[in-house]
Amino acid sequence: MLDISRSHTSGPTAERGELPPPCDLVTVPTRQGLEAVDLLRLSTGVGPVLHDRTGDSLAFLVPPGTADCWDVPGSSCTSTDGRGLVLDGGPPVGWLVPPQTDNTPVTDPTVLRAALGEAARNVELVDSYRPLPPPGLC
């Protein structure tokens, strides 16, 4: 899982006092997450997003308490206390979208829920696309 307390290699650092606020983490598969990041950047904005270096998942920082009612299929939401979350053997992480003072501090969970739904539909549509054969080959 993701560790937001110390293992990121780019972006804000604890030494500079720039770590994100207390938050929960919504973790999704990378492909769906990247699509959702694009959708959010084009609309309401996106807060900080972590990626694992194995390429398996992205984690959106959302307000504390989101995990209490998160129920989006294909994702999980984990509560943290603001000091980060470390699970045994977790891969190192980095910032896809680093926290910045002029940026959205966390992603709105309602907006994220909608973006993840649209992202899942987009991924499904792309995966189901089968080009038609050229004319005369049928």
Side-chain angles (χ1 to χ4, degrees):
M1 190 51 119
L2 301 169
D3 170 4
I4 65 170
S5 64
R6 66 190 181 317
S7 66
H8 56 277
T9 58
S10 62
T13 64
E15 294 80 33
R16 294 187 297 208
E18 299 172 356
L19 286 177
C23 60
D24 287 356
L25 296 172
V26 172
T27 305
V28 298
T30 298
R31 193 164 168 212
Q32 181 183 11
L34 289 172
E35 180 72 20
V37 166
D38 286 344
L39 293 166
L40 291 167
R41 281 183 170 159
L42 293 172
S43 61
T44 60
V46 63
V49 179
L50 290 161
H51 67 90
D52 70 35
R53 307 245 178 194
T54 63
D56 293 335
S57 63
L58 295 181
F60 293 81
L61 278 64
V62 293
T66 300
D68 296 339
C69 60
W70 189 259
D71 62 351
V72 176
S75 69
S76 64
C77 189
T78 307
S79 248
T80 74
D81 60 6
R83 293 181 304 199
L85 172 70
V86 182
L87 297 180
D88 295 334
V93 298
W95 294 108
L96 177 67
V97 179
Q100 300 172 358
T101 56
D102 61 343
N103 198 3
T104 306
V106 292
T107 300
D108 179 301
T110 302
V111 174
L112 178 59
R113 181 185 309 272
L116 289 173
E118 186 174 346
R121 289 186 296 277
N122 290 347
V123 168
E124 183 178 348
L125 181 64
V126 167
D127 286 350
S128 67
Y129 174 73
R130 302 286 184 257
L132 294 174
L137 293 180
C138 293

